[in-house]
Amino acid sequence: MLRWVRQQLGFDPPHQSDTRTIYIANRFPQHGHYVPQKFADNRIISSKYTVWNFVPKNLFEQFRRVANFYFLIIFLVQLMIDTPTSPITSGLPLFFVITVTAIKQGYEDWLRHKADNEVNGAPVYVVRSGGLVKTRSKNIRVGDIVRVAKDETFPVDLVLLSSDRVDGSCHVTTASLDGETNLKTHVAVPETAVLQSVANLDKLVAVIECQQPEADLYRFVGRITISQQTEEIVRPLGPESLLLRGARLKNTKEIFGVAVYTGMETKMALNYKSKSQKRSAVEKSMNSFLIIYLIILLFEAILSTILKYAWQAEEKWDEPWYNGKTEHERNSSKILRFISDFLAFLVLYNFIIPISLYVTVEMQKFLGSFFIGWDLDLYHEETNQRAQVNTSDLNEELGQVEYVFTDKTGTLTENEMQFRECSINGIKYQEVNGKLTPEGFSEDSPDGNRHSLMKEEELFLKAVCLCHTVQINADQTDGADGPWHANGIAAPLEYYASSPDEKALVEAASRVGVVFTGTSGDSMEIKSLGKPERYKLLHVLEFDPNRRRMSVIVESPSGEKLLFTKGAESSILPRSKSGEIDKTRIHVDEFALKGLRTLCVAYRRFTPEEYQEVGKRLHEARTALQQREERLADVFNFIERDLELLGATGVEDKLQEKVQETIEALRLAGIKVWVLTGDKHETAVSVSLSCGHFHRTMNILELVQHKSDSTCAEQLRQLAKRIKEDHVIQHGLVVDGTSLSLALREHEKLFMDVCKNCSAVLCCRMAPLQKAKVVRLLKTSPEKPITLAIGDGANDVSMIQEAHVGIGIMGKEGRQAVRNSDYAIARFKFLSKLLFVHGHFYYIRIATLVQYFFYKNVCFITPQFLYQFFCLFSQQTLYDSVYLTLYNICFTSLPVLIYSLFEQHVHPHVLQSKPVLYRDISKNAHLGFKPFLYWTILGFFHAFVFFYGSYLLMGEDTSLLGNGQMFGNWTFGTLVFTVMVITVTMKMALETHFWTWINHFVTWGSIVFYFIFSLFYGGIIWPFLHTQDMYFVFVQLLSSGSAWFAIILIVVACLFLDVVKKVLYRHLQPTSTEKAQMYSNRVALSDEFIALQPLSRARNQLSKISLLRQVQVSTAWTPCAASQLGKQQAHLLEECWSE
């Protein structure tokens, strides 16, 4: 119980040791010195709150916001001193905002609790006391032996002990962790693999030592010590022995494993930890505006206090006959009275700070984010995937992007590999009709005849078939004939691979005669031209990004020990001592120039002595608990040397649909595109040219293959000089990973100057952290541009998290990028609509929302300030307390919220077809100082018109009622308030371009509601109110024809200048957005409009629209560009699209 309390409070001490010792089946040593380690239980907790901490924790988080804390202080001041308004006027709106936010956050957390309880309560089977015991997932402890059946998910991180197969292997899919749908093979150590029954496992005495939990899904270092009679056997444990929580068991009846990491210490839970909070530019502007309005508030309160005392300096006003002072007031301290008066004025004017702004913005972001998921234009039918929003806090940031950083493979390309060419022993080959044909040689032999392969060709294809991690569908590996039917035609094998390159190569080899037919135990089986061969798999040297290669050591049917290696040419060619190295290097460069992905293949023969040394070194490195990775890297380098080069492969990765158009649209929108890829220089440049990132007319500058600071700096200076001297409109820059490291070390400013003068930048040979560094470099530059990173693989996660906006592509490289992104889309082409339409709308909506909120609160509180000049600064309130409370909550809240959800100031099709309109909103244009000043001055102007318009009407003791009575101060305040509610609502109506029935309902409904509420509120004597100041006031006001005339006149006077300004600016100095509005009104014909036309004309309009839908017209469209459509279509387009 005490440990649980300490855990909840966060005081539970961390593990002291670097490793953990796990006794299988919790058989602890019997000697008294052993102190068991404490491990987390198996509960998954994704929720933020508990029943006990919800109220204090949620209140603390909410009062960290400036506006909420400010209103709390105002509320406390109203409770402590005698203020002109009731504490309810501040307390009720604050309570409303806090309650709404708490309910929203509480509901979201309740859903998380519900999901957690479902996971934690799932039934599992554990080996205890010699039998299988059914329990709940949350009850599993570290050391328990767990049984998992086929198609079940693993409830904890398990070390595999045995399976229903003799070799102790099993297949799993990790789709829920990294999105990879291929089957991955995991194996148990031989000593436990034979323990396939519960009774045998219950007798197992073994200890596992492994590293403490870490988030890396692909790293695990440990060893198992098995006690057998008198000896202890030590075996290494790696990622191939670890079954991760969330993964699913496939093609295996059942497995037994021991729990090593539980609950929040599992790799899945460690990967789901919350990311650092990103804040949008709009939120920062909002906070700046709040501070300015706080200064205005303090100025008004100080000025009012000073003027009050200046006025009271005259004897007759200090203590007038009708308002005498009490004895206490006469004797009180002047300083205390001054402070008290200052605080009273602060309370009186406090509504200039809009408390409901935060909750409205939060609701707008939350509800508005659904539109992205609902957009059918962002739905990809082939994969049945729609866009998803992981955070709604950055919606408007999509409209402010200045730099796009994109990965290449899987983002710009399909990540669907197709074998195109290869080089074997210095000769280039292509695949023609399922045969390997030397370049320039065509073979007309019929498809049925299989030509024999040369020795070098066969060895090369065997290397390709053996050096990989490809799996075969279990249903196809059975049967004596393997993949060949009796008639000699190959039956297609279904391969699964974690790398699309490997799959493409193995499939290509099978088509030309060397077929990988599967694994059996520790053997790999192939068929070379129908002849079966079995190779014993001795060791796998796994691929890693630093080595950029993978290897296998196999024993051939003749007993020879062979090493087969494949990898990037930069990691294979320097390690090769024989073979056609120079010719192959030339061929690799030629493949890269065609945009193909290249791999080199080599091999090495071991003598018995060499192999013995290799086996010994590998065993020592793999059983090491400390620095295992470093030791393995040294051993791998020792093994993978003195290679004999066999050849190279060229695989094509097809470009995604509409990539070129999307990149061109981004460029027209003023967005600079940087491609960051791990591919080699030539391949990356070729793909950049084919996707339109680089133009053929562009001057391409290079900063590559630099090894020292001095040469890199000199090259940068030369590039900067060339950019100044060349009169080329556009420059493109290519930089590689090593040169980039040197450039960022000491020449950051020079490098940035060169980059900013280039319209396109390509960074190749990039490590994942280098991608993030480049994004950070741009992000923190003096201009502070808004950055967007888009990628599909785990190697893009750091870049996605670093950028202001991170977008994941739902591709074939897993779901890690999607999981860590802010938004996820299925294809790169969807980026244009996401930015140009959704981003544009979200930014315009929230910019108007924020400015309008400040405007309506200036309108609200300035008459209150002006009224003090007419009441001797006595802190008399102009409005009734109920009106003060409900102004922001009820009377003016809905029209702006609905506007911020539905507004479309330009037709979406026009926004997408004219990317140049995106420039109008860049650099936070609508929330800059000028628009802020305009809205603020407009607010003060309208407030002056409200107040003085009403004053002129009612001044000089004018009788406005039929019985000769005059209006009192409450009627005057109500008149000002009525004019204000109507004017600010009508102002919102003027700003609205896109009217739906909901807009009409809330706009006119808000005004109607105000009148009905006021009649109801003033028509009844409310028993729970201390005073009945408003009784019959509103009815009396509306019974005066002069008051009606004043309301209409003042509203028109306020809005007339605004309308005139809009009309003049739109016709004399229209912005490109305003031109587009007129343009979209002409082109975008609605169904309702067509329905009103005569039938013949409607048919004509519909035929025009159907033709327009067939044609994608770019911003730079001209009639010439559509020449292929024919003269009639060109004429139609010119007629419809010309401005």
Side-chain angles (χ1 to χ4, degrees):
M1 182 65 186
L2 182 64
R3 181 166 174 255
W4 180 83
V5 172
R6 287 173 65 82
Q7 273 184 340
Q8 295 301 306
L9 296 172
F11 296 136
D12 208 30
H15 300 286
Q16 300 301 311
S17 171
D18 290 334
T19 60
R20 55 170 54 188
T21 305
I22 298 153
Y23 291 86
I24 293 179
N26 292 306
R27 289 196 177 85
F28 302 117
Q30 297 305 309
H31 56 75
H33 304 296
Y34 173 70
V35 179
Q37 285 179 296
K38 290 176 180 172
F39 304 116
D41 58 29
N42 198 38
R43 286 180 306 147
I44 285 290
I45 303 168
S46 64
S47 54
K48 196 175 180 181
Y49 306 108
T50 64
V51 174
W52 310 107
N53 71 11
F54 175 72
V55 173
K57 194 173 180 179
N58 188 266
L59 286 177
F60 172 73
E61 284 178 356
Q62 292 208 55
F63 285 118
R64 282 164 65 188
R65 286 182 163 171
V66 178
N68 290 353
F69 184 70
Y70 160 78
F71 269 88
L72 178 66
I73 298 298
I74 292 292
F75 176 63
L76 294 175
V77 166
Q78 285 178 294
L79 289 174
M80 288 187 290
I81 66 168
D82 183 23
T83 55
T85 56
S86 163
I88 294 170
T89 58
S90 291
L92 194 62
L94 179 66
F95 176 75
F96 174 76
V97 168
I98 295 294
T99 305
V100 167
T101 309
I103 288 169
K104 173 182 168 282
Q105 293 178 350
Y107 174 69
E108 287 173 351
D109 207 61
W110 175 75
L111 292 177
R112 286 192 283 265
H113 271 283
K114 196 176 170 187
D116 289 347
N117 291 338
E118 211 172 293
V119 171
N120 295 331
V124 291
Y125 287 93
V126 179
V127 177
R128 283 182 188 156
S129 308
L132 271 181
V133 178
K134 187 177 181 179
T135 182
R136 292 179 182 273
S137 173
K138 64 183 179 183
N139 298 328
I140 298 175
R141 298 169 296 170
V142 170
D144 279 346
I145 298 174
V146 181
R147 191 203 79 168
V148 180
K150 184 182 177 182
D151 291 328
E152 289 181 355
T153 55
F154 300 113
V156 287
D157 286 355
L158 301 163
V159 164
L160 180 60
L161 293 178
S162 66
S163 73
D164 63 321
R165 299 181 181 184
V166 180
D167 59 358
S169 67
C170 71
H171 295 299
V172 305
T173 175
T174 56
S176 61
L177 295 172
D178 57 15
E180 293 176 5
T181 53
N182 58 292
L183 296 179
K184 294 176 181 172
T185 306
H186 290 260
V187 288
V189 297
E191 285 73 20
T192 62
V194 295
L195 307 173
Q196 293 180 310
S197 66
V198 173
N200 289 336
L201 283 165
D202 195 49
K203 296 172 188 171
L204 175 65
V205 179
V207 179
I208 292 174
E209 292 171 90
C210 62
Q211 62 188 159
Q212 293 293 3
E214 66 169 22
D216 191 340
L217 292 173
Y218 310 106
R219 187 171 180 270
F220 177 67
V221 179
R223 66 182 174 205
I224 182 168
T225 307
I226 303 147
S227 301
Q228 286 189 348
Q229 293 155 2
T230 55
E231 63 171 340
E232 287 189 345
I233 300 165
V234 180
R235 294 284 184 192
L237 298 174
E240 71 284 347
S241 305
L242 187 69
L243 304 170
L244 300 177
R245 178 175 190 144
R248 191 179 290 273
L249 185 65
K250 290 282 186 184
N251 289 11
T252 312
K253 189 180 173 186
E254 66 174 12
I255 64 101
F256 290 94
V258 61
V260 286
Y261 304 131
T262 49
M264 298 309 290
E265 292 183 339
T266 57
K267 289 183 181 285
M268 183 185 80
L270 294 173
N271 271 281
Y272 285 162
K273 286 202 171 173
S274 59
K275 310 185 287 288
S276 59
Q277 190 68 30
K278 294 179 181 180
R279 289 174 66 220
S280 70
V282 169
E283 197 176 330
K284 291 168 189 171
S285 299
M286 214 160 72
N287 291 339
S288 307
F289 296 161
L290 275 173
I291 291 165
I292 292 169
Y293 271 72
L294 202 58
I295 293 166
I296 293 172
L297 170 68
L298 292 170
F299 170 75
E300 287 184 351
I302 291 167
L303 181 65
S304 298
T305 312
I306 291 169
L307 288 173
K308 177 179 180 176
Y309 282 92
W311 209 297
Q312 288 179 355
E314 291 185 48
E315 190 68 33
K316 64 174 180 176
W317 297 122
D318 184 37
E319 194 176 347
W321 60 268
Y322 57 82
N323 192 15
K325 289 182 181 177
T326 63
E327 196 63 35
H328 175 71
E329 285 174 335
R330 288 196 187 96
N331 297 330
S332 63
S333 162
K334 283 189 177 179
I335 296 171
L336 284 176
R337 266 190 296 157
F338 185 89
I339 292 169
S340 176
D341 282 327
F342 168 72
L343 289 173
F345 279 118
L346 207 62
V347 167
L348 196 63
Y349 305 145
N350 78 81
F351 285 96
I352 199 168
I353 305 293
I355 186 172
S356 54
L357 174 61
Y358 277 122
V359 75
T360 310
V361 166
E362 210 165 276
M363 285 170 71
Q364 189 268 347
K365 288 183 173 185
F366 174 70
L367 296 172
S369 63
F370 288 106
F371 293 127
I372 291 177
W374 291 338
D375 191 343
L376 289 178
D377 289 340
L378 302 182
Y379 169 72
H380 192 243
E381 203 169 346
E382 290 170 32
T383 54
N384 191 28
Q385 290 170 329
R386 59 189 178 94
Q388 66 184 58
V389 179
N390 297 330
T391 174
S392 58
D393 292 338
L394 303 168
N395 293 343
E396 64 278 6
E397 208 80 330
L398 292 168
Q400 294 296 294
V401 175
E402 293 170 64
Y403 282 87
V404 167
F405 298 91
T406 173
D407 176 42
K408 182 183 76 67
T409 307
T411 306
L412 300 178
T413 62
E414 287 283 7
N415 206 9
E416 277 183 7
M417 307 303 173
Q418 290 179 321
F419 175 79
R420 288 287 178 245
E421 296 183 65
C422 66
S423 169
I424 304 173
N425 200 30
I427 301 168
K428 273 207 285 187
Y429 290 82
Q430 292 176 332
E431 185 188 349
V432 179
N433 296 329
K435 305 177 188 67
L436 271 187
T437 309
E439 193 178 44
F441 174 76
S442 63
E443 189 173 338
D444 300 324
S445 59
D447 294 344
N449 299 334
R450 250 184 253 113
H451 74 298
S452 60
L453 294 167
M454 291 166 58
K455 185 184 173 187
E456 294 85 356
E457 294 171 356
E458 191 175 1
L459 187 58
F460 173 85
L461 292 170
K462 283 180 179 176
V464 167
C465 277
L466 294 168
C467 185
H468 57 72
T469 55
V470 174
Q471 300 294 326
I472 294 177
N473 190 339
D475 300 334
Q476 292 185 300
T477 54
D478 304 327
D481 291 337
W484 297 95
H485 292 313
N487 60 3
I489 300 169
L493 280 168
E494 193 179 352
Y495 293 112
Y496 297 96
S498 54
S499 160
D501 299 71
E502 285 192 337
K503 185 182 176 189
L505 292 174
V506 172
E507 284 175 343
S510 72
R511 287 196 299 271
V512 296
V514 181
V515 186
F516 170 62
T517 58
T519 55
S520 173
D522 58 356
S523 297
M524 297 180 79
E525 296 169 1
I526 65 170
K527 285 194 175 183
S528 180
L529 297 177
K531 179 187 167 190
E533 293 182 17
R534 180 173 289 207
Y535 287 79
K536 187 178 181 185
L537 182 62
L538 302 171
H539 297 284
V540 178
L541 280 54
E542 296 83 3
F543 174 86
D544 69 66
N546 297 322
R547 279 166 50 240
R548 296 179 66 83
R549 60 184 180 272
M550 77 154 288
S551 304
V552 292
I553 301 175
V554 295
E555 185 179 325
S556 70
S558 60
E560 240 183 334
K561 306 289 194 299
L562 301 171
L563 169 83
F564 288 114
T565 303
K566 77 166 187 289
E569 89 291 341
S570 58
S571 66
I572 300 289
L573 296 181
R575 298 181 163 271
S576 303
K577 66 170 186 178
S578 60
E580 296 289 347
I581 297 171
D582 294 332
K583 284 184 181 178
T584 305
R585 184 179 278 115
I586 292 166
H587 290 165
V588 165
D589 290 341
E590 287 174 6
F591 294 164
L593 284 170
K594 293 177 184 175
L596 303 181
R597 292 164 63 89
T598 58
L599 286 172
C600 287
V601 182
Y603 84 114
R604 177 185 174 186
R605 298 176 194 274
F606 291 116
T607 62
E609 296 76 22
E610 284 174 337
Y611 177 71
Q612 199 172 355
E613 173 70 12
V614 163
K616 182 185 168 190
R617 287 197 180 201
L618 271 174
H619 181 72
E620 286 174 359
R622 282 187 165 144
T623 52
L625 269 184
Q626 303 298 326
Q627 298 178 318
R628 182 183 290 183
E629 275 91 352
E630 291 84 350
R631 291 189 187 186
L632 278 173
D634 292 340
V635 176
F636 289 173
N637 283 330
F638 169 74
I639 296 168
E640 295 165 331
R641 60 193 174 93
D642 300 335
L643 302 174
E644 188 174 331
L645 188 63
L646 290 171
T649 61
V651 176
E652 183 185 38
D653 190 2
K654 195 171 69 174
L655 272 180
Q656 280 189 23
E657 189 188 0
K658 291 190 179 176
V659 165
Q660 195 163 354
E661 292 91 331
T662 306
I663 289 176
E664 185 57 33
L666 292 171
R667 192 175 281 120
L668 286 168
I671 298 170
K672 290 190 175 181
V673 181
W674 288 35
V675 176
L676 312 180
T677 177
D679 272 358
K680 72 190 298 281
H681 172 210
E682 291 82 3
T683 308
V685 170
S686 176
V687 172
S688 274
L689 284 165
S690 63
C691 73
H693 178 236
F694 283 168
H695 287 304
R696 298 283 171 189
T697 55
M698 198 179 272
N699 183 20
I700 297 177
L701 312 170
E702 291 191 347
L703 181 70
V704 292
Q705 295 179 345
H706 288 284
K707 301 284 189 252
S708 67
D709 271 343
S710 55
T711 59
C712 184
E714 180 58 35
Q715 179 69 8
L716 275 171
R717 280 189 282 270
Q718 284 181 11
L719 292 179
K721 189 179 175 186
R722 273 184 67 185
I723 289 170
K724 282 182 184 175
E725 290 174 356
D726 286 357
H727 299 293
V728 178
I729 298 170
Q730 290 184 327
H731 296 276
L733 176 68
V734 183
V735 57
D736 63 7
T738 51
S739 304
L740 182 76
S741 300
L742 296 169
L744 296 185
R745 199 177 297 163
E746 291 180 15
H747 316 292
E748 202 173 280
K749 189 176 180 303
L750 187 58
F751 177 68
M752 282 304 301
D753 290 341
V754 171
C755 288
K756 282 175 186 173
N757 288 311
C758 294
S759 55
V761 178
L762 169 65
C763 301
C764 51
R765 290 292 191 217
M766 296 283 283
L769 283 176
Q770 278 185 312
K771 291 184 178 184
K773 272 186 184 174
V774 170
V775 176
R776 194 181 308 123
L777 181 70
L778 259 293
K779 191 174 147 186
T780 56
S781 63
E783 293 83 8
K784 299 272 189 297
I786 303 297
T787 57
L788 179 146
I790 179 168
D792 71 320
N795 59 333
D796 303 314
V797 168
S798 53
M799 168 176 84
I800 285 168
Q801 288 181 334
E802 184 61 49
H804 291 96
V805 182
I807 296 186
I809 296 279
M810 303 168 191
K812 297 182 175 67
E813 284 194 27
R815 284 290 181 276
Q816 246 178 309
V818 170
R819 218 172 49 229
N820 288 279
S821 65
D822 304 307
Y823 303 89
I825 52 179
R827 286 294 180 270
F828 183 79
K829 67 177 179 180
F830 295 151
L831 185 63
S832 61
K833 176 143 197 203
L834 194 64
L835 298 186
F836 303 152
V837 179
H838 289 286
H840 201 121
F841 284 157
Y842 284 133
Y843 177 72
I844 291 291
R845 289 165 184 169
I846 204 161
T848 308
L849 181 145
V850 170
Q851 305 273 29
Y852 176 79
F853 250 94
F854 285 109
Y855 152 79
K856 74 185 178 78
N857 279 46
V858 167
C859 289
F860 181 39
I861 224 66
T862 305
Q864 180 80 71
F865 172 67
L866 295 173
Y867 186 57
Q868 296 308 303
F869 287 87
F870 294 86
C871 68
L872 262 179
F873 294 93
S874 62
Q875 296 148 13
Q876 169 64 36
T877 178
L878 178 62
Y879 313 119
D880 182 68
S881 292
V882 171
Y883 285 159
L884 278 171
T885 306
L886 298 183
Y887 175 73
N888 275 319
I889 294 175
C890 294
F891 300 143
T892 60
S893 58
L894 275 180
V896 67
L897 177 63
I898 296 302
Y899 168 92
S900 66
L901 289 174
F902 296 120
E903 173 62 359
Q904 294 181 14
H905 63 304
V906 182
H907 196 280
H909 294 307
V910 176
L911 281 178
Q912 199 164 359
S913 65
K914 286 186 164 293
V916 74
L917 295 175
Y918 193 81
R919 293 172 186 250
D920 285 1
I921 61 165
S922 62
K923 299 188 184 297
N924 207 8
H926 287 251
L927 274 175
F929 185 68
K930 279 186 180 177
F932 169 70
L933 198 62
Y934 165 74
W935 279 93
T936 304
I937 291 170
L938 187 70
F940 280 114
F941 167 70
H942 284 181
F944 272 80
V945 175
F946 301 154
F947 185 82
Y948 286 107
S950 303
Y951 179 72
L952 288 171
L953 177 77
M954 296 179 61
E956 307 301 325
D957 299 337
T958 311
S959 172
L960 296 174
L961 293 172
N963 58 7
Q965 286 184 348
M966 294 180 296
F967 283 168
N969 68 316
W970 290 115
T971 316
F972 173 72
T974 306
L975 176 63
V976 173
F977 193 83
T978 304
V979 169
M980 178 172 57
V981 168
I982 295 170
T983 305
V984 297
T985 306
M986 292 294 287
K987 173 62 181 167
M988 189 74 262
L990 278 178
E991 294 299 313
T992 305
H993 294 91
F994 186 71
W995 284 90
T996 65
W997 69 267
I998 303 175
N999 292 80
H1000 283 291
F1001 179 76
V1002 297
T1003 301
W1004 316 121
S1006 292
I1007 296 171
V1008 172
F1009 172 75
Y1010 164 69
F1011 276 86
I1012 293 170
F1013 174 83
S1014 297
L1015 287 168
F1016 186 65
Y1017 171 56
I1020 298 172
I1021 293 177
W1022 299 95
F1024 52 84
L1025 293 178
H1026 297 299
T1027 59
Q1028 303 293 333
D1029 295 327
M1030 294 301 292
Y1031 179 66
F1032 227 64
V1033 165
F1034 197 70
V1035 177
Q1036 213 174 30
L1037 177 70
L1038 296 187
S1039 67
S1040 167
S1042 304
W1044 279 104
F1045 177 73
I1047 290 169
I1048 294 165
L1049 191 68
I1050 294 169
V1051 170
V1052 170
C1054 283
L1055 298 177
F1056 179 72
L1057 287 176
D1058 208 37
V1059 172
V1060 169
K1061 179 223 168 219
K1062 279 180 179 288
V1063 171
L1064 287 175
Y1065 268 83
R1066 182 173 284 263
H1067 285 86
L1068 299 177
Q1069 284 185 323
T1071 62
S1072 51
T1073 302
E1074 285 167 346
K1075 286 178 187 174
Q1077 285 169 350
M1078 293 185 278
Y1079 165 65
S1080 62
N1081 290 340
R1082 288 205 306 270
V1083 175
L1085 300 164
S1086 68
D1087 294 336
E1088 293 85 354
F1089 176 74
I1090 291 171
L1092 297 172
Q1093 308 303 309
L1095 187 60
S1096 58
R1097 190 175 170 191
R1099 279 177 185 158
N1100 185 32
Q1101 297 283 17
L1102 284 168
S1103 66
K1104 282 186 179 184
I1105 289 173
S1106 64
L1107 178 56
L1108 282 169
R1109 282 175 181 165
Q1110 292 167 18
V1111 185
Q1112 294 295 323
V1113 183
S1114 71
T1115 311
W1117 184 87
T1118 62
C1120 300
S1123 59
Q1124 70 274 20
L1125 298 169
K1127 290 182 181 178
Q1128 183 191 355
Q1129 294 172 341
H1131 174 71
L1132 170 64
L1133 286 164
E1134 192 171 12
E1135 177 190 317
C1136 292
W1137 291 79
S1138 62
E1139 291 188 321

